[in-house]
Amino acid sequence: MKSSARRLLSSDSRYVIVVLTPIVLLIALFIYYPAVDTFGASLTNRNLRIRRPPKAVGLDNYVKLVQDDEFWEVTGRSFKVVLITLPLEMAVAFGIAMLLNQRFPGRGLVRTLAILPWMLPGVVNGFLWGWLLNGEYGALNGFLYQFGLISEYQYWLREPDHQLFWVCVVQTWTRYAFPTIILLAGLQSIPDDLFDAAKVDGANAPQRVRYITLPLLLPSFGIALVVEFIAAFQIFDVVWTLTAGGSAGGAMNPFTKTLMLYNYELVFRDLRIGLGAALSYIILVMSLAVGVIFVMRVYNQGVQEQ
Amino acid sequence: MSFGLRGKERIRLGVIYVLCAIVLVWALAPIYWVAVSSISTRRELYSQPYKVWFPSEPTFESYHTIFTQGAKFRDGSFSPTAHLMSAGLRNSVIISVGSAAIVTLLATGAGYAFARMRFRGKNAIFLLIMLMLPLPIWVSLIALFFIMSRLELVDTLLGLVLIFVTLLLPLAVWMMTTFVRDIPSEIQDAARVDGADRWRILYSIVLPLARPGMVAVFLVAMLTTWNNFLIPLIFSRSDDSQPLTIVLTLFIGQYEVAWEDMSAAAVVTMLPPFLMALFFQRYLVRGLTMGAVK
């Protein structure tokens, strides 16, 4: 019986089946099926706090969210994080990439150390900066004080606006290494003769950056921006330990509540599964839409400039 | 003339090293400060307005405290969470090493199939796996929680390993497919002609040559799993399965836990990724950028 089954399948097919079955099963069961299931839940009023069988409500959850003030507040905050973080990150990354593109002894070591923060856990990064910025004993206060830049210790994280700004700074610190690497690779692919020719034609250094480096880096910037947009838009870990203040089950700090934190709260704190599921699909669509628009614009601009 | 040139070069290098110093302060200062905090005595750590930038009498007491007694509250009592750190360390190691090992094995077998074999449905299956990469997994996680609780896999190490393996698969398979494709196929073809089956070729010809690729996949998988916070936040409930990233947030949540203890916990949590980044950066950068750029 067994041997006849074996004969039916060639040894190649058996290899493929053995190797791919676990992978396909895991992905189907853990990713695709739940994704569909979540969408199904978004069309019901499922709420684990209320003891009643969930009822189909069509698109009610989506309508409810779009009419809800908190939803727009949180969405606006997420876009604010993106709009502060991306320019900051790109500026830092471009500067470091330009520096690392120079030839000097010790460059490898500097490169290795410069991209370390990227490889650390986001929750640790949030904690590191929270401690650095601490109003009573923080190292930033001590440092600025000792250099005479402040005359008394500041509570850096007290004002809601400041909190969001520091969230963006820590997100920048966590992520700048990736755009740096992408831009550095882009820089290294620009042929030296271009600069030499420009020098002969009398272009000074800023002009060379403006008319050669930046246009040729446009595709690299595009890649970096799309990836970093998703990272900033779906920010979670860093906020959790820096300013969320809800770790022990307490209320979440409303001033840095971005989309992902809001969604986590809806689903896993408030247990409003239907509403939370709808929000997760709205986040998905927004991420993809902005990503696509972004790519198109950067791409078109690149085409025009050439 | 030559002296002038050398002088110019010296200025250039001088400027470069000053800029490097600024970059390194930006990148490393927060890490340095938490390391210093974790080995400082309480008196020096809380000194102000002048801070002590390196402890005059370094001590490992905080590490001892968090591993044997739970974190110390400011009033001197101990949190009732003894052994949270040891459990967290154990869980982190099991989850990250386990997930990385399994995903590397699965991805190597599949990578060989995708790179070197022809079979029906190959493109469809490859697409099915790769489509996951750009999709935010968040939409799956909500319903997955209920599936996992029906399977009684919530708050278990096995459950976490299964989830991480699944999430890591697309990147791992894609990396291994590229790596195997880059191995010259002449020897494999010759072995086929001699009648070796696929397992034999995989084991004795592909594996030895694909080892650098497998190391890269393993390291990337281990780093990503170790650093992850959202998955255990949803799927862990107790020290049965909580990794260090969760334990750290529990300490931070308890408002009155001493900063030197939290710093020690943070250092333990980031030490493995830190060392990996220092010594295996080439592998990690390759894998991590591949995943993001495709």
Side-chain angles (χ1 to χ4, degrees):
Chain A
M1 177 65 197
K2 206 175 175 189
S3 67
S4 69
R6 275 200 173 176
R7 240 173 280 135
L8 275 176
L9 289 170
S10 72
S11 114
D12 274 18
S13 321
R14 251 185 294 134
Y15 174 85
V16 169
I17 290 169
V18 169
V19 162
L20 292 186
T21 307
I23 295 179
V24 171
L25 274 182
L26 276 177
I27 289 179
L29 182 68
F30 282 14
I31 301 297
Y32 288 111
Y33 171 66
V36 174
D37 208 26
T38 302
F39 185 70
S42 79
L43 305 175
T44 70
N45 61 1
R46 189 162 177 202
N47 182 335
L48 298 184
R49 286 259 160 83
I50 303 170
R51 289 192 158 274
R52 54 156 161 65
K55 202 170 66 192
V57 293
L59 294 174
D60 273 12
N61 286 324
Y62 294 89
V63 175
K64 211 185 281 174
L65 279 172
V66 175
Q67 289 172 345
D68 181 23
D69 286 345
E70 186 174 17
F71 167 77
W72 289 109
E73 199 183 302
V74 169
T75 306
R77 195 173 293 126
S78 279
F79 277 104
K80 212 162 154 187
V81 168
V82 167
L83 289 177
I84 301 172
T85 304
L86 291 193
L88 207 60
E89 223 183 307
M90 293 305 143
V92 171
F94 182 64
I96 298 180
M98 289 289 277
L99 177 64
L100 291 175
N101 195 36
Q102 307 293 317
R103 273 189 205 97
F104 59 91
R107 175 168 71 165
L109 182 66
V110 174
R111 195 190 104 125
T112 301
L113 296 174
I115 63 182
L116 261 174
W118 183 38
M119 311 228 165
L120 304 181
V123 279
V124 170
N125 295 350
F127 168 76
L128 291 187
W129 280 83
W131 177 215
L132 216 58
L133 297 169
N134 182 279
E136 287 164 279
Y137 312 110
L140 183 67
N141 274 329
F143 185 80
L144 294 177
Y145 186 88
Q146 255 148 292
F147 278 89
L149 295 168
I150 50 171
S151 55
E152 60 183 76
Y153 275 25
Q154 306 288 314
Y155 285 84
W156 304 100
L157 291 172
R158 188 156 56 189
E159 304 293 325
D161 282 351
H162 298 178
Q163 291 177 356
L164 203 66
F165 170 74
W166 285 109
V167 162
C168 298
V169 171
V170 181
Q171 174 72 4
T172 300
W173 189 75
T174 302
R175 297 285 321 183
Y176 74 90
F178 175 72
T180 304
I181 291 166
I182 298 295
L183 294 179
L184 188 57
L187 280 174
Q188 283 166 349
S189 68
I190 300 176
D192 284 342
D193 350 344
L194 275 177
F195 292 102
D196 295 342
K199 247 187 237 176
V200 171
D201 291 345
N204 61 24
Q207 282 173 334
R208 293 198 296 270
V209 171
R210 167 72 187 83
Y211 293 104
I212 301 177
T213 314
L214 285 178
L216 288 176
L217 275 187
L218 217 57
S220 307
F221 270 114
I223 294 168
L225 280 169
V226 171
V227 173
E228 293 313 304
F229 163 74
I230 304 262
F233 194 61
Q234 300 187 2
I235 188 170
F236 191 84
D237 299 12
V238 161
V239 187
W240 190 275
T241 40
L242 187 69
T243 56
S247 310
M252 221 176 250
N253 173 3
F255 299 116
T256 53
K257 200 192 286 174
T258 52
L259 275 167
M260 283 285 287
L261 283 131
Y262 180 47
N263 207 346
Y264 176 83
E265 184 182 57
L266 276 184
V267 176
F268 293 102
R269 292 259 169 94
D270 302 346
L271 305 180
R272 301 168 76 172
I273 312 299
L275 201 62
L279 179 59
S280 76
Y281 267 91
I282 293 181
I283 296 177
L284 175 98
V285 170
M286 285 199 283
S287 311
L288 291 183
V290 176
V292 168
I293 293 169
F294 225 75
V295 174
M296 301 282 273
R297 286 206 54 177
V298 171
Y299 179 78
N300 286 338
Q301 214 170 353
V303 170
Q304 278 161 17
E305 297 232 350
Q306 270 157 18
Chain B
M1 182 65 195
S2 79
F3 178 80
L5 263 183
R6 233 189 296 148
K8 227 179 181 181
E9 173 66 8
R10 212 176 287 163
I11 293 172
R12 189 186 78 98
L13 281 182
V15 171
I16 284 178
Y17 284 127
V18 169
L19 294 174
C20 282
I22 296 172
V23 168
L24 291 183
V25 167
W26 152 255
L28 301 179
I31 304 173
Y32 172 79
W33 182 241
V34 79
V36 162
S37 302
S38 74
I39 55 169
S40 290
T41 56
R42 183 169 283 210
R43 192 173 47 82
E44 283 184 349
L45 187 60
Y46 294 114
S47 68
Q48 51 139 274
Y50 288 96
K51 311 267 353 151
V52 180
W53 298 107
F54 192 82
S56 59
E57 30 188 319
T59 163
F60 285 97
E61 209 191 299
S62 301
Y63 291 91
H64 187 248
T65 306
I66 55 169
F67 271 104
T68 55
Q69 290 158 315
K72 201 192 290 172
F73 289 113
R74 276 202 203 151
D75 64 10
S77 64
F78 291 95
S79 83
T81 51
H83 306 303
L84 215 52
M85 282 299 286
S86 353
L89 184 60
R90 180 201 65 203
N91 294 337
S92 278
V93 169
I94 294 177
I95 298 166
S96 56
V97 174
S99 310
I102 296 175
V103 88
T104 308
L105 284 182
L106 289 176
T108 308
Y112 176 69
F114 285 124
R116 287 278 174 258
M117 294 174 72
R118 260 188 249 161
F119 52 91
R120 229 185 318 142
K122 175 171 151 177
N123 290 336
I125 296 176
F126 194 71
L127 193 69
L128 182 87
I129 300 174
M130 291 311 144
L131 260 183
M132 252 178 80
L133 219 42
L135 280 183
I137 45 150
W138 182 232
V139 291
S140 301
L141 290 183
I142 296 175
L144 183 57
F145 179 79
F146 298 101
I147 297 174
M148 294 301 271
S149 67
R150 245 175 281 145
L151 296 172
E152 300 195 353
L153 285 173
V154 172
D155 201 20
T156 63
L157 293 171
L158 176 66
L160 288 175
V161 168
L162 285 174
I163 297 172
F164 279 118
V165 166
T166 312
L167 296 182
L168 293 164
L169 268 172
L171 175 61
V173 168
W174 185 58
M175 281 172 78
M176 281 319 297
T177 306
T178 351
F179 284 126
V180 175
R181 202 175 279 148
D182 288 346
I183 299 173
S185 63
E186 287 82 11
I187 314 176
Q188 297 165 42
D189 297 340
R192 295 262 305 142
V193 174
D194 287 349
D197 72 355
R198 297 290 181 176
W199 295 105
R200 173 119 214 109
I201 295 174
L202 182 71
Y203 187 74
S204 27
I205 301 175
V206 176
L207 276 196
L209 293 170
R211 207 166 288 152
M214 292 172 72
V215 172
V217 171
F218 182 89
L219 290 172
V220 169
M222 196 182 142
L223 186 87
T224 345
T225 309
W226 184 283
N227 287 352
N228 192 288
F229 171 64
L230 183 62
I231 301 294
L233 180 67
I234 296 173
F235 294 96
S236 287
R237 285 283 171 275
S238 73
D239 57 7
D240 284 352
S241 72
Q242 275 164 347
L244 285 174
T245 44
I246 298 283
V247 173
L248 179 68
T249 61
L250 294 179
F251 285 173
I252 297 171
Q254 328 255 341
Y255 267 2
E256 300 294 316
V257 171
W259 284 101
E260 65 270 27
D261 290 350
M262 284 195 277
S263 298
V267 169
V268 174
T269 308
M270 71 183 195
L271 195 61
F274 182 86
L275 294 176
M276 287 168 77
L278 220 47
F279 296 110
F280 303 114
Q281 197 168 84
R282 202 168 294 236
Y283 289 111
L284 290 169
V285 165
R286 190 165 170 199
L288 290 171
T289 45
M290 241 173 143
V293 182
K294 278 192 285 154

